[in-house]
Amino acid sequence: MSDYLSVNIKDRIGYLELNRPEKRNALNAEMVEALKEALTDLGINPDVKIIVIKAAGKVFCSGADLEYLQSLQTNTFEENLADSRNLKTLFHLIYTSPKVIISQVQGHALAGGCGLASVCDFSFAVPEAKFGYTEVKIGFIPAIVKVFLLRKIGEGKARQLLLDADPISAEEAKNIGLINWVVNADQLDEIVYDYAQKLIKQNSGSAMALTKEMIARIQERTLEEGLEYAAAMNAKARGTSDCKKGIDAFLNKKPITW
């Protein structure tokens, strides 16, 4: 694994820790590739049910590495497109992963770093963390994150974040639905661990995976197409071993071990 990322598995949680604190965990090609590889591996690892993305140092992620972006300014359009598609693939992997992914935000999450945190299924952040898309201040654009942001918080709030470009507090980020919970720094590790364990013990892994798949796919369909897709997924879920196990346990009043 890359020097920029550490991977650890504990109690069915796969921890991915951004480990480039001297650069505020900025995203460059190596960091993005390492995250893609780790997420792909953990996504098919039967010993991992929940993935947590966290970071070393005082900043969660400051977004794209500006020195790296500067080095790309002599690239052709095709070369820049190929590089941009790496980040697109990373965010798509997180959004469509069969595993539930939690971001554990111990510091500022800005630009692409804000996208990285908010594209996860759940986000926990400390009160001191700031969230924002600052790209337009330097003549860049928040292109890829916009696709997911519009889905998550709607056009009105997205316009404010993307065009105003001023960071907001963790509490405000929670209030607009960008993140889920704000917790004190000294409790962050424990609370994220406990929440992950709740999901692990309480919920079927295959049912959560199918639910995530539907969230990602159903919004692109018309009402009629969406309902037909939902009916097909409902039928698919009924045939899974987890569904059979869960219904049997419920009817026979037996505890379920997931």
Side-chain angles (χ1 to χ4, degrees):
M1 191 55 63
S2 167
D3 292 338
Y4 297 156
L5 183 70
S6 62
V7 181
N8 179 46
I9 298 174
K10 176 185 177 184
D11 300 333
R12 303 178 76 189
I13 304 171
Y15 288 97
L16 300 182
E17 185 171 40
L18 309 183
N19 192 25
R20 204 185 179 208
E22 73 284 357
K23 291 289 187 179
R24 301 189 302 166
N25 294 312
L27 299 170
N28 61 7
E30 291 79 11
M31 177 83 86
V32 171
E33 284 297 329
L35 280 165
K36 286 164 54 181
E37 180 183 339
L39 285 164
T40 300
D41 290 345
L42 293 179
I44 59 174
N45 188 330
D47 296 325
V48 172
K49 193 169 179 180
I50 303 292
I51 298 171
V52 173
I53 300 177
K54 56 191 296 191
K58 296 181 179 180
V59 175
F60 176 76
C61 179
S62 60
D65 186 321
L66 296 185
E67 292 180 2
Y68 174 67
L69 283 182
Q70 187 177 43
S71 73
L72 300 179
Q73 290 183 350
T74 58
N75 279 8
T76 65
F77 172 81
E78 288 73 19
E79 289 169 334
N80 277 322
L81 180 59
D83 184 76
S84 297
R85 282 173 171 161
N86 284 328
L87 185 62
K88 178 206 75 171
T89 301
L90 171 61
F91 283 6
H92 187 264
L93 270 173
I94 294 171
Y95 192 71
T96 61
S97 171
K99 307 292 172 71
V100 169
I101 302 180
I102 300 170
S103 60
Q104 180 175 316
V105 185
Q106 92 296 356
H108 299 335
L110 301 173
C114 188
L116 179 64
S118 59
V119 77
C120 294
D121 300 297
F122 302 108
S123 296
F124 292 78
V126 299
E128 300 80 15
K130 298 287 187 184
F131 293 83
Y133 299 93
T134 55
E135 287 92 338
V136 296
K137 291 184 177 182
I138 61 166
F140 195 40
I141 63 169
I144 296 167
V145 296
K146 185 187 294 96
V147 176
F148 301 99
L149 187 66
L150 287 166
R151 283 184 166 212
K152 187 159 195 173
I153 65 173
E155 184 178 327
K157 289 298 183 183
R159 279 181 181 269
Q160 179 183 338
L161 286 176
L162 299 171
L163 295 175
D164 179 285
D166 286 338
I168 60 175
S169 68
E171 190 63 33
E172 186 173 355
K174 179 175 76 73
N175 290 339
I176 66 173
L178 189 66
I179 65 171
N180 301 93
W181 295 280
V182 179
V183 300
N184 291 332
D186 60 352
Q187 299 176 298
L188 185 61
D189 285 339
E190 180 181 359
I191 288 176
V192 170
Y193 174 86
D194 288 346
Y195 188 76
Q197 288 301 316
K198 184 191 85 163
L199 297 180
I200 288 168
K201 296 173 182 177
Q202 169 184 285
N203 298 341
S204 152
S206 72
M208 290 193 293
L210 288 174
T211 299
K212 278 195 64 172
E213 181 183 341
M214 288 194 68
I215 291 170
R217 302 299 178 195
I218 205 165
Q219 297 179 74
E220 66 201 29
R221 289 167 162 80
T222 66
L223 174 62
E224 291 75 15
E225 291 169 345
L227 287 169
E228 185 59 30
Y229 170 65
M233 292 295 281
N234 185 305
K236 180 178 179 179
R238 296 180 193 187
T240 64
S241 59
D242 274 14
C243 186
K244 294 173 182 176
K245 174 181 175 180
I247 291 175
D248 178 71
F250 180 81
L251 291 175
N252 290 288
K253 296 180 172 56
K254 299 185 298 185
I256 308 174
T257 302
W258 295 118

